[in-house]
Amino acid sequence: MDVLNAVLRLLVEEGDRLTMTAVARRASCSKETLYKWFGDRDGLLTATVQWQASKVRVAPVDRARLDMASLTASLERFASDWLHVISSDTSIALNRVAIAHAGEEKRNLGAIVLENGRLAMGRRLKPVLLAGREAGLLAFGDDEQAFRTFFGLVARDVQIRLLLGDRVKPTDAEIGRDAAEATRQFLALYGAQTGAATAGL
């Protein structure tokens, strides 16, 4: 959507100085239209974060036919998309603004990013992890703990380095390798043959 693209570009260019007037000008629409569509600035930012998060796809799995190959492919695709999103200029700009105002009552972008970013990612991937457990491919006791482990293996220190100004961006090939390695490490921890000790089973 042109409006959400405009928000992301302005966040990169202007950071915290984002206003509805600037978005309307960049998107070639009226402020009244923005208020009608999104309600207010927080509504606009929520839609922007949700749209950014939607770029992280969860490959569907057939519970009846799920095997290790299809589970691995689903996890790798999720990890690759996730790394592409969090290493993008727009995601870095969005998170910098959110961190700058975390905890402020008048500006709840931090809560918006948390709810529609990291927490939403968990809600989308946990069903895949649970399907893997039901199929006897994964062994874990708590799906939140399993997701947090996967999150850590995928993200590592990439996002914090970029937020702090590290200009070395991973290439597509590097992201592919990192996604595959994070998935391999996760399966080494939680695969049904090795995960029983981790899961406390």
Side-chain angles (χ1 to χ4, degrees), residues 81-162:
D81 285 353
W82 199 345
L83 284 169
H84 274 104
V85 167
I86 67 173
S87 63
S88 68
D89 289 340
T90 51
S91 180
I92 294 166
L94 187 60
N95 278 281
R96 281 176 175 163
V97 174
I99 291 169
H101 295 286
E104 293 183 11
E105 293 184 4
K106 293 183 179 180
R107 296 186 176 185
N108 59 351
L109 180 57
I112 291 171
V113 170
L114 182 61
E115 175 61 30
N116 296 283
R118 187 288 187 209
L119 296 181
M121 294 300 98
R123 290 191 294 268
R124 291 168 61 188
L125 188 64
K126 286 177 186 178
V128 175
L129 301 180
L130 291 170
R133 186 173 68 178
E134 291 171 8
L137 303 172
L138 298 175
F140 57 84
D142 181 78
D143 58 351
E144 173 64 16
Q145 183 61 46
F147 173 75
R148 289 174 64 187
T149 300
F150 187 65
F151 178 97
L153 291 170
V154 174
R156 296 169 292 118
D157 65 344
V158 171
Q159 192 171 41
I160 188 65
R161 286 172 58 194
L162 293 172

Side-chain angles (χ1 to χ4, degrees), residues 19-75:
T19 64
M20 297 292 267
T21 298
V23 173
R25 186 181 303 114
R26 180 66 64 92
S28 299
C29 66
S30 67
K31 284 200 299 182
E32 289 73 18
T33 297
L34 292 180
Y35 284 113
K36 179 180 179 181
W37 285 351
F38 302 104
D40 57 14
R41 183 176 182 269
D42 280 354
L44 177 59
L45 289 170
T46 298
T48 302
V49 175
Q50 290 173 338
W51 185 57
Q52 185 79 340
S54 72
K55 298 173 185 177
V56 182
R57 301 159 295 175
V58 180
V61 295
D62 184 342
R63 290 176 177 263
R65 300 180 180 180
L66 184 63
D67 57 18
M68 186 56 75
S70 57
L71 176 62
T72 299
S74 181
L75 293 175

